[in-house]
Amino acid sequence: QTVVTQEPSFSVSPGGTVTLTCGLSSGSVSTNYYPSWYQQTPGQAPRTLIYSTNTRSSGVPDRFSGSILGNKAALTITGAQADDESDYYCVLYIGGDVRVFGGGTKLTVL
Amino acid sequence: EVQLVESGGGLIQPGGSLRLSCAASGFTVSSYWMNWVRQAPGKGLEWVSLIHGSGSTYYADSVRGRFTISRDNSKNTLYLQMNSLRAEDTAVYYCARENGGIDFWGQGTLVTVSS
């Protein structure tokens, strides 16, 4: 059973930079896993931020960026703002046609 | 404008069946890969099922054999037939379009499995 790992929680100061990661219980994440990132606030549907590792979804500001850092996918938020306080989920494509979400990271901006 | 509108959720007893619908507008469902993703109350996102443009279908282990994804091209609508429902299937169900990654989400429909 493939497990996708994310930090349960993270905090960042307003204006600061934070990097959230998305890993595998065994093995390394590469672009072949097409990592994607989603932002969700309570009671709302998810919003797509990044797909295919580093492609920003339409309307997403460029302070959100995706990459591979070491053996994990990463979402970096630069110049954090109060309304970035949300849950962030990554998803990896396992074996091409199965998607596995990470458990999500609760980001606090304070 | 791309829109996805789910419907069909509600309260259902364990062992029962329910069919969710996702009406699409602004694009043609059969031209894209389409997913169902769910979120149990207070929990994270869980991928449920995928249908390719070719019609090939894929399922999470937790629902394989009980859920069936399909689409009606004439109605531009995606479906999720859910049978043998269990308490652990209680969740908001989202349909989501995939285009290199999921790019559009519906607002979701709540399914509650309880006696």
Side-chain angles (χ1 to χ4, degrees), chain A residues 34-75:
Chain A
Y34 298 92
S36 301
W37 293 91
Y38 309 96
Q39 178 190 50
Q40 188 182 35
T41 53
Q44 299 296 313
R47 170 198 182 198
T48 301
L49 297 175
I50 301 286
Y51 59 91
S52 292
T53 305
N54 55 14
T55 301
R56 212 171 289 113
S57 188
S58 176
V60 174
D62 60 7
R63 55 196 187 78
F64 291 91
S65 62
S67 63
I68 300 292
L69 284 181
N71 62 351
K72 296 182 179 182
L75 172 71

Side-chain angles (χ1 to χ4, degrees), chain B residues 5-84:
Chain B
V5 179
E6 300 94 336
S7 61
L11 176 63
I12 187 78
Q13 291 189 339
S17 297
L18 210 56
R19 188 179 79 159
L20 305 183
S21 301
C22 172
S25 57
F27 72 101
T28 301
V29 162
S30 61
S31 298
Y32 289 83
W33 293 10
M34 297 295 297
N35 292 268
W36 285 99
V37 176
R38 68 184 181 183
Q39 186 170 37
K43 302 296 185 182
L45 300 172
E46 179 188 14
W47 176 76
V48 172
S49 185
L50 162 70
I51 184 167
H52 282 185
S54 65
S56 299
T57 58
Y58 305 88
Y59 300 92
D61 289 345
S62 58
V63 307
R64 186 176 294 112
R66 300 188 298 123
F67 289 12
T68 302
I69 189 172
S70 65
R71 65 179 183 235
D72 184 330
N73 295 340
S74 67
K75 295 182 178 179
N76 209 32
T77 298
L78 178 73
Y79 300 102
L80 185 67
Q81 177 66 43
M82 304 185 296
N83 299 331
S84 302

Side-chain angles (χ1 to χ4, degrees), chain A residues 81-102:
Chain A
Q81 301 177 0
D83 61 4
D84 294 335
E85 187 161 294
S86 302
D87 295 325
Y88 292 84
Y89 295 93
C90 70
V91 70
L92 300 179
Y93 291 7
I94 308 297
D97 292 306
V98 171
R99 285 95 177 92
V100 180
F101 280 90

